[in-house]
């Protein structure tokens, strides 16, 4: 049964149901709590947003670009209802399925005639669908404009749109309803149908309230736009219709490997990929395959996903879907770098850590997160130095034992040869490990490591013997390199250690951390075995580790690429999809 909506909302629902199969479930939520701007963040210009009772008020400011008050949460398919009142002469709009990048990005757009065009979206530029608020004589309120990309997609010119143009009430409260479902976006103004657009460029994004820039126009300074009763209900499409209507949204966002027979049967592991440099999107799927196919663990690998394209994009630092699997996971393995994830995703990580469950950290996970000072998750950031003293230096220091300090070895020139600590040679995690080597350099750490940290493996900095040739993923370094750099090995830095952690309001948990872990490091059997042995140890299976070590044979094909930053349009062109990492 459909929930109770106003009459015009019900009409819209039936129109949608006539064209596709939808499920309108759950309560209608108020996006504005009537008290403060929790759940919202401002992007773009510096227009003023204030609260008057249950109303959000936007006030124009001279010499500032378009301003946007944006929901922190992203929405895909939904019905949105909102009331607004705008001063004459002030253009405005309501963004839906919109996004903002933290660095310049080139995007490919497609026009109605099918022609594609590359466009640059500048860092910090809000872009996406806008439902126009237009009090000018043109009266295109309810039309759809593509902010920051393509311009008008569905204006309200022509005789057929006359009722919508006439429905706008000057100097009065107006009501919008927007139904964004699959590739269909429909709008109504005061109950009158307005825009009807088919477009599949952006399947999800935030909601935002715009105050348009006014340049140097003194006459428009202080003009206001008001919003109230901002209500949204999410919609689910039936799977068959969803695939047909919006294939991009149906792209998988994580991969799961069902465990075969083995000691890990019944144990669940979540592997979190999300770094720009060391190819976590290559190494963690292979680790998940080994854990599942060789040892029985159920594994989910989650990736940094660009919400617009559905592509795996390591440079997109604000989205790693699939983290809800942490709710009943037995082990978290993390290889991320400087992520700033949305609240709902960070909450899964925070809840997991507060429960005291075990963690394996790899390479850049020492600097896994970085949030702005005003974020509720700022204390997770690598450079945190705030009032929460237990969180000094963030997640890396508190949980794993160290945050980002330095490259101790020379990057892309000196490799790491693992030296097992004599007192730990019989440690279960080191059983059957043998030679340890990787082409990543040793990270610098502060000695001694904090608390009960126990180094298992030290990293000897080794000079490269040969020259680096173009295209060599190992940069000329080889496992046969043996010459130590005498200036950097006294003392040697730990590269694998154990410790316990405890969040201020959480339970105590166990950690195994390694500053190795690139996909090219994973070519070494010793590196692979340390990680698999650690998974056994942290999930209560320590006594199941064979004396000769666990089976770490590669599953399927594994041809890691060089660790490096890949900027510009590399990832959009690469078009990596989650399906690439499924088992054949």
């Amino acid at each position: 049964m459909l929930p109770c909506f106003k009459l015009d909302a019900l009409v819209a629902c039936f129109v949608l149901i006539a064209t596709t199969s939808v499920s309108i479930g759950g309560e209608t939520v108020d996006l504005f709590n009537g008290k403060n701007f929790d759940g919202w963040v401002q992007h773009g210009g510096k227009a003023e947003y204030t609260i008057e009772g249950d109303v959000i008020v936007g006030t124009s400011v001279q010499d500032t670009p378009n301003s946007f008050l944006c929901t922190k949460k992203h929405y895909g398919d939904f019905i949105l209802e909102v009331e607004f009142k705008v001063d004459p002469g002030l253009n405005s709009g309501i963004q839906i399925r919109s996004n903002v990048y933290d660095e310049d990005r080139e995007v490919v757009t497609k026009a109605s005639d099918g022609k594609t065009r590359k466009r640059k979206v500048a860092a910090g530029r809000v872009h996406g669908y806008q439902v126009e608020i237009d009090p000018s004589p043109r009266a295109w309120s309810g039309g759809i404009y593509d902010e920051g990309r393509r311009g008008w997609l569905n204006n309200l010119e022509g005789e057929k749109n006359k009722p919508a143009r006439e429905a706008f009430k000057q100097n009065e409260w107006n009501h919008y309803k927007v139904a964004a479902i699959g590739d269909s976006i429909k709008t109504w103004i005061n109950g009158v149908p307005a825009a009807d657009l088919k477009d599949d460029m952006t399947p999800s994004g935030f909601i935002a309230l715009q105050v348009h820039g006014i340049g140097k126009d003194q006459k428009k300074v202080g003009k206001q736009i008001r919003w109230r009763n901002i209500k949204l209900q999410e919609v689910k499409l039936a799977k068959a219709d969803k695939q047909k209507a919006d294939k991009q949204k149906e792209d998988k966002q994580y991969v799961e490997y069902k465990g075969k027979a083995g000691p890990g049967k019944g144990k669940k592991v979540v592997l979190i990929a999300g770094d720009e440099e060391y190819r976590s999107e290559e190494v963690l799927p292979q680790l998940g395959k080994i854990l599942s196919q060789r040892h029985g663990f159920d594994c989910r690998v989650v990736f940094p996903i660009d919400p617009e394209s559905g592509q795996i994009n390591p440079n997109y630092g604000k989205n790693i879907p699939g983290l809800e699997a942490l709710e009943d996971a037995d082990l978290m393995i993390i290889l991320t770098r400087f992520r700033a994830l949305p609240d709902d995703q960070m909450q899964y990580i925070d809840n997991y850590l507060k429960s005291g469950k075990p963690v394996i950290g790899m390479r850049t996970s020492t600097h896994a997160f970085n949030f702005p000072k005003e974020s509720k998750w700022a204390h997770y950031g690598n450079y945190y130095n705030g009032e929460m003293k237990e969180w000094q230096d963030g997640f890396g220091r508190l949980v794993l034992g160290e945050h980002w300090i330095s490259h101790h070895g020379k990057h892309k020139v000196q490799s790491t040869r693992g030296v097992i600590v004599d007192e730990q040679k019989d440690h279960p995690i080191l059983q059957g490990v043998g030679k340890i080597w990787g082409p990543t350099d040793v990270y610098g750490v502060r000695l001694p490591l904090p608390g009960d940290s126990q180094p298992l493996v030290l990293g000897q900095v080794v000079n490269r013997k040969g020259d680096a040739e173009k295209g060599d993923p190992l940069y000329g370094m080889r496992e046969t390199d043996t010459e130590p750099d005498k200036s950097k090995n006294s003392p040697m830095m730990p590269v694998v250690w154990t410790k316990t952690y405890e969040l201020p309001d959480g339970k105590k948990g166990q950690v195994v951390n390694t500053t190795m872990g690139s996909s090219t490091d994973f070519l070494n059997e010793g590196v692979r075995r340390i990680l698999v042995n650690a998974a056994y140890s942290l999930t209560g299976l320590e006594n199941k580790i064979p004396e000769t070590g666990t089976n770490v044979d590669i599953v399927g094909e594994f041809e890691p690429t060089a660790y490096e930053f890949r900027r510009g349009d590399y990832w959009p062109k690469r078009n990596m999809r989650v399906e690439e990492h499924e088992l054949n």
Side-chain angles (χ1 to χ4, degrees):
M1 177 178 291
L2 291 171
C4 292
F5 267 71
K6 290 180 286 187
L7 179 59
D8 61 324
L10 282 171
V11 171
C13 293
F14 287 125
V15 169
L16 290 163
I17 290 169
T19 59
T20 188
S21 192
V22 302
S23 170
I24 304 175
E27 296 182 357
T28 300
V29 298
D30 289 310
L31 297 186
F32 173 52
N33 64 19
K35 300 177 182 178
N36 52 47
F37 289 131
D38 286 354
W40 297 79
V41 62
Q42 186 168 345
H43 289 293
K46 303 299 182 182
E48 297 178 359
Y49 290 89
T50 55
I51 299 170
E52 296 181 5
D54 61 351
V55 176
I56 295 176
V57 182
T59 304
S60 61
V61 175
Q62 195 175 27
D63 287 332
T64 191
N66 294 348
S67 304
F68 302 88
L69 185 64
C70 312
T71 61
K72 293 180 180 179
K73 184 175 178 180
H74 286 208
Y75 300 92
D77 298 320
F78 57 82
I79 294 175
L80 172 71
E81 296 194 57
V82 57
E83 295 176 340
F84 67 90
K85 182 179 180 182
V86 60
D87 287 347
L90 180 61
N91 184 274
S92 180
I94 298 171
Q95 297 292 136
I96 63 168
R97 290 180 175 174
S98 295
N99 291 272
V100 64
Y101 299 141
D102 54 8
E103 59 183 23
D104 292 351
R105 186 178 300 191
E106 190 176 73
V107 299
V108 178
T109 63
K110 184 170 66 174
S112 58
D113 60 5
K115 293 182 178 180
T116 60
R117 179 181 174 186
K118 291 183 179 179
R119 297 175 185 268
K120 179 181 176 181
V121 177
R125 179 69 160 96
V126 170
H127 58 280
Y129 305 111
Q130 180 186 131
V131 181
E132 179 78 357
I133 294 176
D134 179 14
S136 76
R138 182 181 63 176
W140 284 359
S141 291
I144 299 175
Y145 181 85
D146 193 7
E147 176 78 17
R149 295 186 302 196
R150 296 170 290 174
W152 280 103
L153 301 178
N154 193 157
N155 61 37
L156 297 186
E157 63 184 2
E159 187 64 25
K160 71 172 184 177
N161 290 312
K162 185 177 180 181
R165 295 197 302 271
E166 293 178 343
F168 175 78
K169 301 174 184 178
Q170 197 75 252
N171 291 313
E172 296 183 34
W173 285 100
N174 292 271
H175 177 270
Y176 269 172
K177 185 161 55 57
V178 182
I181 300 176
D183 65 355
S184 171
I185 303 176
K186 298 175 185 287
T187 68
W188 290 259
I189 177 169
N190 297 320
V192 177
D196 187 351
L197 174 70
K198 289 281 188 179
D199 191 80
D200 64 356
M201 184 171 180
T202 309
S204 67
F206 51 68
I207 310 295
L209 310 178
Q210 184 205 53
V211 176
H212 202 282
I214 60 171
K216 297 183 180 297
D217 191 343
Q218 287 280 1
K219 295 180 180 179
K220 293 184 179 180
V221 174
K223 285 188 175 292
Q224 295 182 326
I225 169 75
R226 298 166 181 267
W227 300 270
R228 69 184 183 189
N229 295 326
I230 310 170
K231 300 178 183 296
L232 182 142
Q233 187 169 36
E234 294 188 86
V235 173
K236 293 182 180 180
L237 288 177
K239 188 171 182 180
D241 293 309
K242 193 175 184 73
Q243 287 175 334
K244 181 179 178 181
D246 191 358
K247 183 180 183 301
Q248 200 169 54
K249 281 194 66 179
E250 280 296 297
D251 288 343
K252 292 187 176 180
Q253 297 189 310
Y254 51 82
V255 65
E256 292 188 300
Y257 306 122
K258 189 68 176 175
K260 289 188 175 181
K265 195 69 175 177
K267 302 285 188 180
K268 298 180 180 179
V269 182
V270 177
L271 302 94
I272 307 173
D275 87 293
E276 301 94 328
E277 185 174 11
Y278 293 101
R279 309 281 67 85
S280 58
E281 72 283 352
E282 295 177 354
V283 64
L284 291 188
Q286 180 57 223
L287 179 55
K289 290 175 183 178
I290 292 172
L291 288 172
S292 62
Q293 305 307 294
R294 307 290 185 214
H295 305 283
F297 293 90
D298 288 330
C299 295
R300 174 183 288 192
V301 185
V302 296
F303 302 91
I305 302 291
D306 185 327
E308 285 200 23
S309 66
Q311 299 169 332
I312 295 174
N313 187 338
N315 294 339
Y316 192 86
K318 298 180 179 180
N319 184 43
I320 301 181
L323 290 170
E324 65 276 2
L326 288 172
E327 290 183 317
D328 61 350
D330 299 289
L331 174 63
M332 179 177 87
I333 302 177
I334 184 169
L335 176 45
T336 66
R337 177 185 181 275
F338 289 149
R339 302 290 107 170
L341 302 180
D343 289 351
D344 56 338
Q345 295 178 10
M346 281 304 300
Q347 194 65 61
Y348 290 121
I349 293 174
D350 193 62
N351 291 344
Y352 181 90
L353 295 174
K354 285 178 179 176
S355 71
K357 291 183 179 181
V359 177
I360 294 177
M362 296 171 61
R363 194 61 175 174
T364 56
S365 55
T366 58
H367 42 299
F369 305 102
N370 207 38
F371 291 90
K373 290 181 180 180
E374 64 272 15
S375 170
K376 65 181 290 187
W377 307 107
H379 52 286
Y380 269 79
N382 183 68
Y383 303 107
Y384 182 73
N385 186 25
E387 297 179 355
M388 302 170 68
K389 298 304 180 184
E390 304 93 334
W391 283 92
Q392 182 79 20
D393 296 328
F395 165 85
R397 184 68 171 179
L398 175 60
V399 178
L400 301 184
E402 190 54 286
H403 76 144
W404 166 247
I405 299 293
S406 65
H407 288 283
H408 184 64
K410 192 171 182 181
H411 195 49
K412 296 185 180 179
V413 174
Q414 294 177 316
S415 62
T416 299
R417 182 170 298 282
V419 178
I420 293 175
V421 176
D422 284 342
E423 295 82 358
Q424 299 297 326
K425 62 183 179 181
D426 295 325
H427 195 288
I429 290 176
L430 300 175
Q431 287 183 193
V433 164
K435 294 181 180 180
I436 305 165
W437 179 85
T440 51
D441 55 280
V442 174
Y443 274 177
V445 302
R446 290 169 287 186
L447 298 175
L449 290 168
D452 60 358
S453 300
Q454 179 59 62
L456 301 184
V457 180
L458 305 178
Q460 184 184 62
V461 178
V462 179
N463 292 325
R464 182 176 62 197
K465 184 178 181 180
D467 295 327
E469 296 183 3
K470 187 176 181 180
D472 178 7
L474 304 183
Y475 297 105
M477 295 173 279
R478 294 293 183 267
E479 194 168 343
T480 53
D481 295 342
T482 58
E483 181 187 41
D485 183 336
K486 295 180 181 179
S487 68
K488 296 179 180 177
N489 289 307
S490 184
M492 288 187 283
M493 299 287 110
V495 293
V496 181
W497 63 82
T498 62
K499 71 180 290 286
T500 59
Y501 77 92
E502 186 174 359
L503 268 58
D505 51 352
K507 298 178 181 179
K508 185 174 288 188
Q510 294 181 302
V511 164
V512 175
N513 190 71
T514 176
T515 55
M516 302 181 76
S518 75
S519 62
T520 46
D521 285 345
F522 213 61
L523 291 169
N524 178 263
E525 187 174 298
V527 172
R528 300 199 301 270
R529 186 158 287 123
I530 285 173
L531 290 165
V532 174
N533 287 357
Y536 270 65
S537 179
L538 293 176
T539 57
L541 302 172
E542 197 168 87
N543 62 349
K544 300 290 186 181
I545 302 174
E547 289 185 9
T548 55
T550 48
N551 181 353
V552 293
D553 291 347
I554 294 294
V555 177
E557 295 183 359
F558 182 61
E559 297 180 2
T561 59
Y563 61 83
E564 61 183 357
F565 292 101
R566 296 171 183 174
R567 307 293 193 187
D569 63 354
Y570 175 87
W571 289 109
K573 286 183 176 179
R574 171 64 177 80
N575 192 27
M576 180 183 285
R577 301 283 173 173
V578 171
E579 288 82 356
E580 290 186 31
H581 299 290
E582 292 182 334
L583 283 164
N584 295 325

